[in-house]
Amino acid sequence: MRTMLTLLCAQVPPALRAGHFPDDDGLDTTQLADASLNLSGPERHSARVICSSSRAAQQTAQAMGINDYQLEPALKEVDYGLWSGVSLKDIEPQLLGTWLRDPSMSPPNGESLDMVCRRTRSWFEASQHQQGMSLVFTHANVIKALVLSVLGAPMTAMFHLDIAPLSLTRLTCHQGRWQVQCLGVPLKHQ
């Protein structure tokens, strides 16, 4: 049996759109309306629906009419530590520049992108035995980390992937071989 993991990138919270590191912010009414897309195709009939424990991911799922999902903390957004809620303009430029280039660099009391990749890879490896279709509501950095796991690419490749909010990435597995079927395909209003 084929395994299909469809990753849906959650809507971005208002703080991030305003240039601040997110702090488990919820979505505003405009973003909720934008997220109220109808899923079609295999995503709508997934055997399992899994959702990041963050508010934005859960609200994205709910805006799409999906209220029955399993929460998965391993798929949560990056923990930005002391940078949570802080404007990017208020971070020392050299420190921010290093963080944007070096996946091993952590914000103070936060999580590096390497740590995110390890966290998501552990979840991915533990869940690989689950066959069938799964729909996962999560975040761009988590999706990038999962794609890197499938490709066996170095963590620095994360900086060369762009995953937009409300887009789909699909990973498939047949006979133990994972593939990236599509990456960052935008959802459309029906």
Side-chain angles (χ1 to χ4, degrees):
M1 179 179 210
R2 188 176 193 135
T3 301
M4 182 183 299
L5 188 61
T6 301
L7 309 166
L8 195 147
C9 188
Q11 181 63 288
V12 175
L16 190 56
R17 289 189 186 266
H20 292 77
F21 283 96
D23 190 14
D24 198 24
D25 307 310
L27 304 177
D28 62 26
T29 54
T30 302
Q31 292 170 311
L32 288 169
D34 287 345
S36 64
L37 300 164
N38 291 320
L39 289 176
S40 57
E43 294 78 34
R44 192 66 197 164
H45 305 290
S46 294
R48 293 183 323 145
V49 180
I50 303 163
C51 192
S52 157
S53 56
S54 78
R55 288 176 55 202
Q58 292 178 59
Q59 288 177 323
T60 299
Q62 292 162 4
M64 292 183 181
I66 298 175
N67 296 299
D68 186 18
Y69 47 78
Q70 169 192 341
L71 288 179
E72 181 50 65
L75 301 175
K76 70 182 175 97
E77 176 62 289
V78 176
D79 178 355
Y80 294 104
L82 296 178
W83 289 358
S84 296
V86 175
S87 170
L88 276 77
K89 293 176 186 174
D90 293 336
I91 306 295
E92 195 271 310
Q94 186 174 357
L95 190 60
L96 182 61
T98 301
W99 182 78
L100 290 170
R101 288 185 312 275
D102 181 0
S104 67
M105 196 271 191
S106 301
N109 295 334
E111 184 178 36
S112 71
L113 295 176
D114 275 342
M115 294 165 77
V116 173
C117 288
R118 283 193 301 275
R119 166 171 49 90
T120 57
R121 187 180 315 115
S122 293
W123 172 83
F124 182 65
E125 289 171 356
S127 65
Q128 284 189 26
H129 67 279
Q130 307 231 357
Q131 294 187 342
M133 294 185 290
S134 297
L135 175 62
V136 177
F137 288 86
T138 189
H139 312 277
N141 283 322
V142 172
I143 294 170
K144 291 176 187 182
L146 290 169
V147 168
L148 294 180
S149 291
V150 168
L151 297 175
M155 296 306 137
T156 53
M158 184 176 251
F159 302 117
H160 301 285
L161 296 174
D162 191 13
I163 305 293
L166 304 177
S167 67
L168 291 178
T169 295
R170 186 171 297 127
L171 309 177
T172 58
C173 181
H174 184 67
Q175 298 180 340
R177 183 170 165 246
W178 281 94
Q179 301 178 141
V180 177
Q181 188 179 64
C182 64
L183 181 69
V185 177
L187 290 174
K188 303 218 187 303
H189 284 278
Q190 305 283 330

